[in-house]
């Protein structure tokens, strides 16, 4: 009797939150193929704010002309979108597995399917935007590609939603600051606006599901999850800018990647963009022990 009483409020709350998210999706969902003017020419504007560019403030940045700096920002934004596609494709498969093991008549599973539909549209939107920005979706290195396959196949609740929370939060923070900035390319502002509105619901869903599942895990499961989550965040945060981006601009890829990796401004930028996810996951105890090493190595916990 007492066990039933303890579980009922949590289950009711879960369904109420999912019901509100479903209602929000019905009121404010977008078809990017219709909402965005894909025929509009790309202007010679920024793809992201200059201080977010990986080489900002380095000796290589000083060598570039203003036009080359703007082009680099567009190519880096395209690369970030490609990394987003990589992870959202992984997330969609994990959400399908999550739904497969649960009751489809419940609101929280129906919202999982709704999010999958959103992510399908986002993937097409980002793919279109990458082409508009003059780039292509460069395939990630074999290690990241392989680990992505393993992660999507084996991840359970806390890893599904903890990983989603991190990637969605960092993109959300990056895009929020660009929506109203007229120095940013219109196609980037348009995709950012749609993504921010719809990702707000995804972030709420991921946060609720993560906390609910994490609380039910034992110490060994949590220890394992911390390490794997650290690896996921490391490979996501260190693959935002593909080396081929630098080659497209005529820079030496190895020299540029090394300069970006050591750039204190770029490290601080990643720290700032990830601070909400770090605060949420850290307060739950999901960033500690050996797993925290990977967060720190990726520049997500500051210096």
């Amino acid at each position: 009797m007492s066990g039933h009483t303890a579980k009922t409020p949590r289950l009711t709350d879960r369904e109420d939150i999912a019901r509100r998210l479903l209602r929000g999706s019905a009121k404010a969902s977008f078809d990017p193929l219709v909402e965005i003017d894909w025929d509009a020419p790309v202007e010679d504007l920024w793809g992201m704010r200059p201080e977010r560019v990986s080489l900002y403030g380095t000796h290589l940045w000083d060598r570039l002309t203003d036009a080359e700096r703007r082009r680099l920002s567009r190519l880096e934004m395209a690369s970030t979108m490609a990394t987003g596609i990589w992870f959202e494709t992984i997330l969609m498969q994990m959400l399908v597995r999550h739904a497969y093991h649960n009751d489809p008549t419940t609101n929280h599973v129906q919202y999982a399917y709704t999010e999958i539909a959103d992510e399908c549209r986002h993937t097409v939107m980002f793919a279109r935007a990458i082409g508009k920005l003059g780039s292509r979706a460069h395939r990630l290195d074999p290690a990241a590609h392989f680990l992505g396959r393993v992660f999507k196949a084996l991840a359970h609740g806390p890893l599904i939603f903890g990983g989603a929370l991190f990637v969605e939060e960092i993109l959300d923070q990056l895009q929020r600051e660009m929506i109203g900035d007229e120095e940013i390319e219109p196609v980037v502002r348009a995709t950012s606006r749609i993504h921010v509105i719809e990702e707000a619901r995804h972030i709420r869903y991921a946060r609720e599901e993560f906390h609910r599942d994490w609380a039910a895990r034992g110490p060994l499961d949590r220890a394992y999850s911390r390490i794997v989550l650290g690896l996921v965040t490391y490979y996501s945060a260190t693959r935002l800018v593909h080396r081929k981006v630098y080659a497209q601009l005529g820079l030496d890829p190895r020299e540029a990647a090394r300069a970006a990796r050591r750039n204190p401004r770029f490290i601080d930028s990643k720290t700032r963009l990830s601070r909400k996810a770090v605060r949420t996951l850290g307060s739950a105890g999901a960033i500690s022990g050996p797993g925290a090493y990977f967060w720190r190595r990726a520049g997500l916990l500051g210096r």
Side-chain angles (χ1 to χ4, degrees):
M1 182 71 171
S2 59
H4 176 75
T5 304
K7 287 179 66 176
T8 301
R10 290 200 298 271
L11 292 174
T12 301
D13 182 56
R14 186 186 201 185
E15 286 295 273
D16 286 345
I17 291 170
R19 184 180 296 108
R20 291 196 292 272
L21 293 173
L22 287 167
R23 189 179 303 123
S25 296
K27 291 180 178 179
S29 289
F30 305 92
D31 182 350
L33 298 182
V34 175
E35 297 286 338
I36 298 174
D37 183 3
W38 296 105
D39 294 325
V42 172
E43 305 173 36
D44 187 21
L45 297 175
W46 294 94
M48 61 176 70
R49 289 186 174 180
E51 64 270 23
R52 299 299 184 203
V53 179
S54 66
L55 298 180
Y56 179 77
T58 67
H59 67 287
L60 293 176
W61 182 262
D62 294 337
R63 291 184 197 170
L64 301 176
T65 65
D66 287 342
E68 288 173 329
R69 291 171 179 175
R70 290 192 295 273
R71 186 179 177 221
L72 176 60
S73 74
R74 295 193 295 273
L75 293 175
E76 289 202 10
M77 188 68 240
S79 181
T80 300
M81 288 177 173
T83 301
I85 290 174
W86 169 70
F87 190 82
E88 288 192 340
T89 303
I90 293 171
L91 175 60
M92 284 187 280
Q93 294 176 74
M94 294 191 299
L95 287 173
V96 167
R97 283 200 299 106
H98 173 71
Y100 182 80
H101 294 292
N102 289 278
D103 183 357
T105 66
T106 59
N107 291 326
H108 72 273
V109 172
Q110 289 175 23
Y111 186 75
Y113 285 122
T114 301
E115 181 171 341
I116 292 165
D118 290 344
E119 300 295 11
C120 285
R121 293 193 300 273
H122 294 170
T123 297
V124 175
M125 176 177 73
F126 285 149
R128 286 279 188 104
I130 289 168
K132 289 289 290 185
L133 291 171
S135 189
R136 57 187 294 269
H138 302 296
R139 182 165 178 164
L140 293 181
D141 57 277
H145 187 75
F146 174 75
L147 289 174
R149 292 181 62 186
V150 173
F151 181 65
K152 69 180 174 59
L154 301 180
H156 57 23
L159 291 174
I160 293 172
F161 296 107
L165 188 62
F166 168 73
V167 175
E168 290 171 347
E169 285 276 25
I170 198 169
L171 287 176
D172 181 74
Q173 293 301 304
L174 177 64
Q175 292 174 322
R176 281 182 183 275
E177 65 185 25
M178 299 190 297
I179 294 174
D181 189 341
E182 295 187 356
E183 294 297 312
I184 302 294
E185 283 288 351
V187 69
V188 175
R189 294 171 59 196
T191 56
S192 296
R193 180 182 64 86
I194 290 173
H195 201 243
V196 162
I197 292 172
E198 297 188 341
E199 286 297 311
R201 297 190 292 268
H202 300 178
I203 290 170
R204 175 71 187 278
Y205 181 67
R207 187 183 300 119
E208 295 290 335
E209 291 295 313
F210 169 79
H211 281 302
R212 185 174 291 105
D213 206 326
W214 184 258
R217 299 287 168 168
L220 288 178
D221 203 343
R222 289 189 181 192
Y224 160 78
S225 297
R226 291 185 189 104
I227 294 173
V228 177
L229 187 58
L231 282 167
V232 169
T233 55
Y234 174 80
Y235 276 95
S236 299
T238 57
R239 268 62 178 178
L240 294 175
V241 183
H242 200 286
R243 288 189 176 194
K244 289 185 178 180
V245 163
Y246 305 126
Q248 283 182 264
L249 206 65
L251 297 172
D252 180 273
R254 290 187 178 182
E255 180 187 9
R258 183 169 56 250
R261 187 171 60 251
R262 298 174 178 176
N263 184 5
R265 291 181 174 86
F266 188 44
I267 294 171
D268 288 344
S269 179
K270 288 193 292 183
T271 301
R272 289 176 180 273
L273 291 174
S274 61
R275 59 189 174 186
K276 287 184 69 175
V278 168
R279 184 166 59 245
T280 300
L281 297 171
S283 64
I287 306 176
S288 64
Y293 165 82
F294 296 106
W295 288 80
R296 194 169 292 106
R297 180 80 182 272
L300 304 174
L301 302 182
R303 290 174 290 155

